[in-house]
Amino acid sequence: ALQAGGVAACAKHWPGHGDTEEDSHEGLPVVRHGLGRLERVELPPFRAAVRAGAAAVLAAHVAAPCLHRWTPPHAAAAAAAATAAE
C-alpha cells in the first residue's frame, strides 16, 4: 500500500538487534547468536519483506560475527554487504 502511493517500504534493522545488550547510539552492539538462530528467527521477516516487494532493507548498526566471512568479526553488519545478498 505504501509503495503504491509512491512511498518506498523499508524493512529495518537487518539482521535485527532486539537481543543485543548495548545501545547502538552509544556503541556497537553485538548479535551473539549463531547463523542457525539468525536463519530461524531473525532473518525470516526480512526475507518476507523482500518477497513482498519492499524497496529497501536498512542495515542495523550492530556487529553480527556469524555473518562476517570477509570482514573483521566486530565490523558493523552493514560492512558485510556480500553476506546480505546471500
Side-chain angles (χ1 to χ4, degrees), residues 15-28:
H17 69 65
D19 288 337
T20 61
E21 297 174 7
E22 190 167 1
D23 183 338
S24 62
H25 298 100
E26 297 178 9
L28 183 61

Side-chain angles (χ1 to χ4, degrees), residues 31-69:
V31 176
R32 300 192 185 280
H33 300 298
L35 188 56
R37 155 75 190 235
L38 264 65
E39 288 282 346
R40 286 188 320 277
V41 177
E42 280 80 14
L43 301 182
F46 294 97
R47 288 192 179 107
V50 169
R51 285 187 198 114
V57 175
L58 178 67
H61 295 146
V62 299
C66 70
L67 297 176
H68 297 280
R69 295 183 186 153

